[in-house]
Amino acid sequence: FELNKDLALKDLFIAGANYLTPVSNTCIFQLQALLAEDFIESGASANAENFKNFNFTKTQLSITFDAYQVGSYAIGTPVVEMDLADFNPILKPEFK
């Protein structure tokens, strides 16, 4: 694990792991519970570009969506938080 390196979301997961589908499904589910927007599914679909803004701690993964990505400008930049432990089977050991 290299310090001071820019990470992409894929860098948290073992090579070849299908991380986009569960991350996308979690985001869509949480966003639909909060928002009545028509473009949630396209802005949070299983596309790596949709998840370029993220943070993580020892326990949480947070995805921040750009303005207009999953809803109107009025909703701002929504953040979806999920338990990092939910991804243990596909996380690289250094992120467990």
Side-chain angles (χ1 to χ4, degrees), residues 13-84:
F13 300 95
I14 57 177
N18 179 12
Y19 69 93
L20 285 173
T21 298
V23 169
S24 172
N25 289 344
T26 300
C27 288
I28 290 170
F29 177 78
Q30 287 189 30
L31 290 166
Q32 286 178 334
L34 297 172
L35 310 170
E37 298 287 340
D38 293 335
F39 42 104
I40 289 173
E41 291 201 24
S42 63
S45 65
N47 177 334
E49 186 64 24
N50 287 336
F51 306 106
K52 65 182 185 228
N53 302 316
F54 69 95
N55 292 297
F56 65 97
T57 66
K58 290 181 179 183
T59 60
Q60 292 284 99
L61 173 62
S62 300
I63 306 292
T64 303
F65 294 96
D66 291 336
Y68 296 111
Q69 186 175 346
V70 294
S72 65
Y73 183 78
I75 66 166
T77 55
V79 176
V80 172
E81 294 182 343
M82 52 197 89
D83 290 332
L84 203 52

